[in-house]
Amino acid sequence: MGAAARPGSAVHLGAGALSGMTSCILLQPFDLVKTRVQQSQTQQGAASAAQRGAGAVASAVRSVLSTEGVLGLWRGTVPSLMRSAPGTSLYFYFLNHTKTMCLAGERRLSGDSSRAKLSATSNMAVGASSRALAGFILMPGTVLKVQYESNLYRYTGIAAAIGHIWRQGGVRGFFVGAVPTAIRDAPYAGLYFLLYEAIKGRERAFAQARGTQMAETAVTMVAGVTAGLSASYITQPFDMVKTRMQLRPQEYHSVMQSFAKIYREESLAGFFRGISLRVLRKGIQASLVFTLYEWVLRANTRSSDKAPPTKLAA
């Protein structure tokens, strides 16, 4: 493959935006129901055993369908798109550039100019830093998305939601929950990218050992689902704290206070409210996003390789 076939920044941005938009629209119901389940303790106090787990999910779905109809499951799609499309686009842009920089650094340190893969530590650092940076830039969209999905706020439109957040907290209102979001997203993305690259490598090695060849789409889908499920479980408590801080900032003031309040009122199980929805959504989303992203990159590379050389003007 020639150097000319290497995807540029615009391709990474476009591939990220496409994958982010697609996953957002398809998986919005998971996000909405997760938000409703996680907010339930703030509305009802201690939940009974019957309201936990799958019962809470079913109850939330029934409530949405009875009051808002089927389309109610897609409430908040517009603010989700406003965050997810540019957020995923920026994430892959930062991921590409950070990965390139780290690989160049490892080549210099090792003296091996042919090195083509990052170490496990570098993969984790690349994933974490890229997600944290993109997440901070898009934090206002995250706050808007969470509040729009919740039925604690009866917003009539995006402009009304933005105006309410501004009146309640000014600029700081759009960055409520930034710390737990970063604490959640950075480890999640770092673990995800580490596992994703490791699983892809093992899948290919296993296929080669058996004398077979796996389709790249199958490789990325399996690696994406497995990595997404694992990383989601580990970072779930931070997702709960983030959601509570963004929905009820007057009750959940800081990360440590929020952790203590949830544990005191709901015990350890309170941190895992809505985990089935988040894990399922994250597993599917991660697989879909990375599969689409890498498919676009491969398609761009193939079209570049097939393109006839540009003739210089006489």
Side-chain angles (χ1 to χ4, degrees), residues 76 78-80 82 139-149 155 157-162 165 173-174 246:
V78 173
S80 290
M82 290 170 61
M139 193 66 217
T142 302
V143 174
L144 180 63
K145 167 186 173 296
V146 170
Q147 292 196 8
Y148 213 92
E149 289 170 351
Y155 293 137
I158 301 298
I162 293 174
I165 295 171
F174 291 99
Q246 290 173 342

Side-chain angles (χ1 to χ4, degrees), residues 14-25:
L18 175 64
S19 59
M21 289 174 60
T22 304
S23 64
C24 175
I25 294 171

Side-chain angles (χ1 to χ4, degrees), residues 28 32 36 68 71-77 148-149 153 155:
Q28 177 62 19
L32 180 131
R36 298 289 175 91
E68 304 171 55
L71 291 180
L73 292 171
W74 273 268
R75 177 179 171 80
T77 299
Y148 213 92
E149 289 170 351
Y153 301 87
Y155 293 137

Side-chain angles (χ1 to χ4, degrees), residues 101-154:
M101 289 169 53
C102 285
L103 187 57
E106 289 192 357
R107 284 170 176 167
R108 285 196 300 271
L109 289 174
S110 65
D112 181 6
S113 60
S114 63
R115 186 167 185 166
K117 292 184 179 180
L118 290 175
S119 64
T121 303
S122 292
N123 275 329
M124 195 165 190
V126 165
S129 59
S130 299
R131 175 56 70 187
L133 184 55
F136 181 78
I137 294 173
L138 273 298
M139 193 66 217
T142 302
V143 174
L144 180 63
K145 167 186 173 296
V146 170
Q147 292 196 8
Y148 213 92
E149 289 170 351
S150 169
N151 59 6
L152 295 175
Y153 301 87
R154 296 294 183 179

